[in-house]
Amino acid sequence: MKDEKDAIVVNKEFTEECTVILTAVADALYAIGGKWKLMIIISIARGNNRFSEIQKKVTGISARVLSNELKELELNSFIVRKVTAGYPVSIEYELAPYSNTLQDVVSSLKEWGIQHRQKIKDDRSSGKSQTIV
Amino acid sequence: MKDEKDAIVVNKEFTEECTVILTAVADALYAIGGKWKLMIIISIARGNNRFSEIQKKVTGISARVLSNELKELELNSFIVRKVTAGYPVSIEYELAPYSNTLQDVVSSLKEWGIQHRQKIKDDRSSGKSQTIV
DNA sequence: CGGCATCCAAATAGATACTG
DNA sequence: CAGTATCTATTTGGATGCCG
């Protein structure tokens, strides 16, 4: 900080950029945050298209919560609810194209999650205290 | 041996891998999920090191919640709480090295958040109904 | 099977006041 | 400034039963 004017300008840009990032991340978390949404999308992507299949894959989710999440995901164009006539009527959830935009997010979270689990394990065997994952 | 592109959103054949992905993503969400943690990390990364600075940047967070989140982040090695003697005592939060592992996660979320906001805007001006971000 | 309605318990968060 | 304490309001979620 030798030149104060520059410093101010720089800091202002820095600050504005911070707000941009924060806003973007907040937007993302608003749309796909929470415990379940991404996991539901992943599990549908991997071929679990029925309500009960999804519920089995996404460990710990209750029917009520799953039902609500599916509605929201459909409303936001991440998935499509397909009803096929017949007896009984068959209902399947499929990914809508918009879910493909989540590729990078999902894969980075997956990579991070894997290394994080490893790190936790290392921390514990090296004797550090740690909250459990 | 880079895999065949973590094809998250396609390829029903890889269902056996589904559980691995779900577990990894669940781990990640457990550690950095929720409304605030990433935003706090980002805002510290961009030079907001004081409690009140962070609170100002991370819109909507209360002192109590911020306080709790900071404690958790410190416990999990994402940040360091630095106390500098003096009068009054100065307290600053800094990123710990482990926060750097979040680079990809943050940048993909940021990119996605930006395009998502744009998409919402487009949807609205084209007359679709939409939940608001 | 794929849900929705209801009731109730638990977790979370806001407001406010207060401290070193 | 950097929190803590307390109380209360709100949200969230599980359990259960019912229905097409």
Side-chain angles (χ1 to χ4, degrees):
Chain A
M1 62 156 89
K2 37 190 79 168
D3 186 339
E4 288 207 338
K5 276 181 190 169
D6 275 4
I8 289 167
V9 171
V10 166
N11 283 337
K12 194 183 165 206
E13 280 169 7
F14 205 63
T15 304
E16 279 167 5
E17 208 215 328
C18 175
T19 305
V20 171
I21 299 183
L22 285 177
T23 304
V25 172
D27 286 352
L29 291 178
Y30 183 92
I32 55 168
K35 269 163 88 174
W36 307 118
K37 291 202 181 59
L38 279 180
M39 316 221 351
I40 292 167
I41 288 174
I42 292 168
S43 114
I44 296 176
R46 308 304 277 203
N48 304 279
N49 301 97
R50 315 293 295 259
F51 190 93
S52 48
E53 286 174 346
I54 302 170
Q55 197 182 359
K56 207 150 65 174
K57 272 291 173 191
V58 181
T59 348
I61 198 169
S62 71
R64 195 184 60 157
V65 173
L66 177 55
S67 170
N68 291 336
E69 297 281 48
L70 286 171
K71 265 183 230 160
E72 246 186 278
L73 288 172
E74 194 191 4
L75 198 63
N76 288 288
S77 303
F78 290 111
I79 65 175
V80 177
R81 185 175 186 271
K82 285 235 165 108
V83 184
T84 306
Y87 185 76
V89 169
S90 147
I91 296 173
E92 295 202 332
Y93 295 91
E94 292 173 12
L95 291 196
Y98 193 52
S99 280
N100 290 317
T101 62
L102 289 170
Q103 282 264 5
D104 286 353
V105 170
V106 172
S107 86
S108 62
L109 274 174
K110 174 190 134 195
E111 295 306 323
W112 193 86
I114 289 171
Q115 74 79 34
H116 181 63
R117 171 171 289 259
Q118 188 57 46
K119 182 229 170 201
I120 298 288
K121 232 173 68 181
D122 295 349
D123 280 5
R124 267 200 271 154
S125 59
S126 76
K128 289 191 184 179
S129 81
Q130 187 68 42
T131 52
I132 304 309
V133 164
Chain B
M1 64 184 237
K2 272 309 162 196
D3 43 1
E4 60 273 21
K5 270 307 108 252
D6 315 289
I8 308 102
V9 186
V10 258
N11 280 335
K12 298 189 177 183
E13 288 79 27
F14 293 82
T15 22
E16 69 282 353
E17 228 195 314
C18 179
T19 305
V20 174
I21 301 184
L22 284 178
T23 305
V25 172
D27 286 352
L29 291 178
Y30 183 92
I32 54 169
K35 270 164 88 174
W36 307 121
K37 291 202 181 59
L38 277 180
M39 317 224 348
I40 292 167
I41 288 174
I42 293 167
S43 108
I44 295 175
R46 310 306 283 198
N48 304 278
N49 301 96
R50 314 295 294 257
F51 190 93
S52 49
E53 286 173 347
I54 301 170
Q55 196 182 359
K56 206 150 67 175
K57 272 293 171 190
V58 180
T59 347
I61 198 169
S62 72
R64 197 184 59 154
V65 173
L66 177 55
S67 171
N68 292 337
E69 296 282 45
L70 287 170
K71 267 180 224 160
E72 244 186 279
L73 288 172
E74 194 191 4
L75 197 64
N76 287 290
S77 303
F78 290 110
I79 65 174
V80 177
R81 184 174 185 271
K82 285 237 164 104
V83 184
T84 307
Y87 186 76
V89 169
S90 146
I91 296 173
E92 293 201 331
Y93 295 91
E94 292 173 13
L95 290 196
Y98 194 52
S99 280
N100 292 322
T101 64
L102 289 170
Q103 285 264 7
D104 286 353
V105 170
V106 171
S107 84
S108 62
L109 275 175
K110 175 189 130 195
E111 294 307 323
W112 192 86
I114 289 170
Q115 74 79 32
H116 182 62
R117 172 171 289 260
Q118 188 58 45
K119 181 229 170 201
I120 298 288
K121 232 174 68 182
D122 296 349
D123 279 5
R124 268 199 268 153
S125 59
S126 77
K128 290 190 184 181
S129 81
Q130 187 69 43
T131 52
I132 305 307
V133 164

